[in-house]
Amino acid sequence: MAHIVSITNQKGGVGKTTTAINVAAGLSAMRKRVLLIDLDPQGNATSGSGIDHTAKTCLHLFIENTPVEQVIQKSSYGYHVIPGNYSLTRCDIGIMNHPRKAFFLKQALAPIINNYDYILLDCPPALNNLTLNAQGCAHYLIVPVQCEFFALEGLTKLLGTIEQIKKQVNPDLKVLGLIRTMFDGRSRLTQYVSKELEKHFSDRVFNSVIPRNIKLAEAPSHGKPIMYHDPKSQGALAYLALSAEIDRKANARQYANLLKEPV
Ligand SMILES: Nc1ncnc2c1ncn2[C@@H]1O[C@H](COP(=O)(O)OP(=O)(O)O)[C@@H](O)[C@H]1O
Ligand SMILES: [Mg+2]
């Protein structure tokens, strides 16, 4: 069964989409079967994966009852994609008044959950109904954090929201880890915020750190993950290391849960 991992943070511009694309490619390079779902109407994970922007999205899946196999696209980088584009705004509004509005994605993924090792969800920078659907079906959250002054304040709010989501839609949801993005080790503020994150969240902070790297900013305009744009760049190496760490952590959690179950 796939690990469903939601990449989330209400804040925009923190590296969610960059992480979604490059972890999808990193896990695929490790021969994992990966599906990346773009839940952001901006569709950046879609175009950054070289996928047609006008293709079918979760709107078709949730509202028009299109079978899930018909909305899945194959990228040139090993992983599959359910695209996102502006039609998702209609999707968000279209499900608003449904009594089970948080569970459309969970229901849609049920027939294909065994076809993948990982299903990665790229969330929009808002707590809307699409994010609610991501958190409604995810096993794990990955939270990209930019090490800047307001990051800690934003995180406290985010953790509060996660507790509410656990109560209301998904009691099994767990934070797999916080990932430090756009890291500039020469900046004192970055170092301070990074230390604070380690102090407050200890083993929930990934050891891997994503440096600020111009190649990572360039790659989406070529419709490629960083490993295919510049495989030797610091950004590529960092995302490969993160992908391996995610795989280790997700599997360790799964085995730990199995041990708790009666034999
Ligand atoms: N490690 C990095 N180094 C340099 N630029 C980055 C890095 N991570 C993301 N970016 C750039 O920062 C901007 C915001 O990143 P993005 O992944 O789109 O954030 P989000 O999805 O959280 O809004 C994009 O232009 C992206 O290319
Ligand atoms: Mg994004």
Side-chain angles (χ1 to χ4, degrees):
M1 192 175 84
H3 297 294
I4 305 180
V5 182
S6 171
I7 300 165
T8 197
N9 190 332
Q10 283 124 297
K11 227 165 143 10
V14 294
K16 289 184 289 297
T17 300
T18 306
T19 299
I21 295 170
N22 293 307
V23 168
L27 288 168
S28 300
M30 294 161 58
R31 300 288 177 264
K32 305 292 174 191
R33 298 165 302 164
V34 180
L35 172 65
L36 169 61
I37 305 181
D38 190 350
L39 291 168
D40 189 342
Q42 293 184 66
N44 294 339
T46 305
S47 52
S49 299
I51 300 282
D52 176 11
H53 222 256
T54 60
K56 288 194 166 88
T57 69
C58 281
L59 170 76
H60 302 84
L61 204 54
F62 296 179
I63 294 184
E64 297 181 9
N65 290 324
T66 307
V68 63
E69 292 82 3
Q70 288 179 27
V71 295
I72 294 176
Q73 305 273 333
K74 289 187 176 148
S75 78
S76 306
Y77 313 108
Y79 59 94
H80 294 175
V81 179
I82 295 183
N85 59 37
Y86 194 68
S87 73
L88 287 174
T89 315
R90 263 194 294 143
C91 181
D92 179 30
I93 296 166
I95 61 176
M96 191 165 63
N97 294 322
H98 196 282
R100 296 202 32 94
K101 64 181 177 187
F103 301 107
F104 280 84
L105 188 57
K106 187 172 185 172
Q107 201 179 334
L109 294 180
I112 55 161
I113 194 158
N114 290 322
N115 299 357
Y116 295 98
D117 299 307
Y118 285 92
I119 298 177
L120 303 177
L121 313 173
D122 183 28
C123 290
L127 185 59
N128 60 18
N129 292 317
L130 297 161
T131 306
L132 198 63
N133 269 273
Q135 321 312 38
C137 75
H139 303 121
Y140 299 117
L141 297 176
I142 289 181
V143 183
V145 186
Q146 212 180 329
C147 294
E148 54 173 29
F149 184 66
F150 292 113
L152 295 168
E153 193 187 334
L155 268 182
T156 315
K157 276 194 205 137
L158 182 70
L159 293 178
T161 311
I162 294 171
E163 281 313 310
Q164 280 207 318
I165 286 172
K166 280 172 82 162
K167 270 193 207 131
Q168 286 167 10
V169 300
N170 185 355
D172 299 326
L173 189 63
K174 294 187 177 66
V175 176
L176 191 65
L178 311 182
I179 175 72
R180 290 164 283 183
T181 60
M182 296 180 236
F183 193 87
D184 175 5
R186 290 165 306 178
S187 147
R188 288 233 178 122
L189 179 61
T190 298
Q191 288 172 12
Y192 168 75
V193 176
S194 176
K195 287 261 163 358
E196 288 293 300
L197 286 176
E198 286 172 355
K199 199 159 91 190
H200 291 294
F201 301 104
S202 58
D203 64 346
R204 285 195 292 174
V205 181
F206 285 108
N207 293 326
S208 316
V209 169
I210 308 299
R212 185 173 283 284
N213 179 229
I214 185 71
K215 299 288 178 183
L216 279 168
E218 279 170 16
S221 62
H222 299 272
K224 288 180 180 176
I226 185 71
M227 297 87 186
Y228 295 86
H229 174 61
D230 188 343
K232 293 194 179 129
S233 61
Q234 291 299 314
L237 299 177
Y239 270 113
L240 282 170
L242 175 64
S243 304
E245 196 179 349
I246 289 171
D247 191 43
R248 272 201 310 278
K249 264 190 145 174
N251 288 323
R253 288 274 181 98
Q254 190 180 37
Y255 296 138
N257 286 342
L258 283 177
L259 287 175
K260 278 188 222 148
E261 285 174 13
V263 207

